[in-house]
Amino acid sequence: QVTLTESGGGWAQTGGSLTLSCAVSGLNFRDYHFGWFRQAPGKEREFVGVSIRPGSGGRTYYEDSVKGRFIISRDNAKRISTLQMNNLRSEDTAIYYCASSQAALSAVRLLSMYKTWGQGTQVTVSS
């Protein structure tokens, strides 16, 4: 059984930082991309960023509004994907999800390309 479990959510002050982790079991971690998505109240779930699997180059890609503020990393040995969020803004408030995919690089921003999802973790940013 494949499971993805997010942790590390909570409250942060505007301008502050939070780090989310996604612990993965039940699949060959190195063979998968791990994406991060978020869903704010009343809005659709949206792409935040992705860590590409080593065999496809190992790069990271980000949604424009988080570039330069968020960093995604992966520890293939520990089977953990991490989303470090800096300089947080109120508009970053959302439930954050990690998910796994083996999609082509051209499709890694698409929600439909991700088969397995975590349960989500709430991030709230306010002053």
Side-chain angles (χ1 to χ4, degrees):
Q1 181 183 0
V2 179
T3 60
L4 282 69
T5 306
E6 302 95 339
S7 60
W11 178 85
Q13 201 165 18
T14 302
S17 299
L18 280 174
T19 299
L20 307 183
S21 295
C22 176
V24 179
S25 64
L27 52 73
N28 189 344
F29 190 87
R30 294 180 62 90
D31 287 346
Y32 287 79
H33 319 308
F34 290 95
W36 286 89
F37 297 80
R38 65 186 179 186
Q39 187 165 17
K43 294 189 176 181
E44 294 186 351
R45 194 170 300 187
E46 65 176 3
F47 173 80
V48 173
V50 60
S51 167
I52 300 300
R53 61 189 175 189
S56 297
R59 293 188 61 181
T60 51
Y61 298 98
Y62 301 95
E63 190 268 331
D64 285 348
S65 70
V66 307
K67 279 182 184 176
R69 300 190 299 123
F70 290 12
I71 301 170
I72 295 173
S73 59
R74 61 191 289 158
D75 187 324
N76 293 313
K78 294 183 178 178
R79 305 166 64 83
I80 294 175
S81 174
T82 299
L83 174 63
Q84 180 180 339
M85 305 183 293
N86 302 311
N87 193 19
L88 283 162
R89 306 169 180 168
S90 57
E91 54 263 40
D92 295 320
T93 295
I95 299 174
Y96 283 72
Y97 301 87
C98 65
S100 62
S101 174
Q102 293 185 304
L105 294 184
S106 59
V108 293
R109 296 172 182 264
L110 301 177
L111 274 70
S112 61
M113 292 292 107
Y114 289 78
K115 276 192 173 182
T116 305
W117 294 76
Q119 81 287 355
T121 186
Q122 176 71 47
V123 170
T124 303
V125 183
S126 67
S127 55

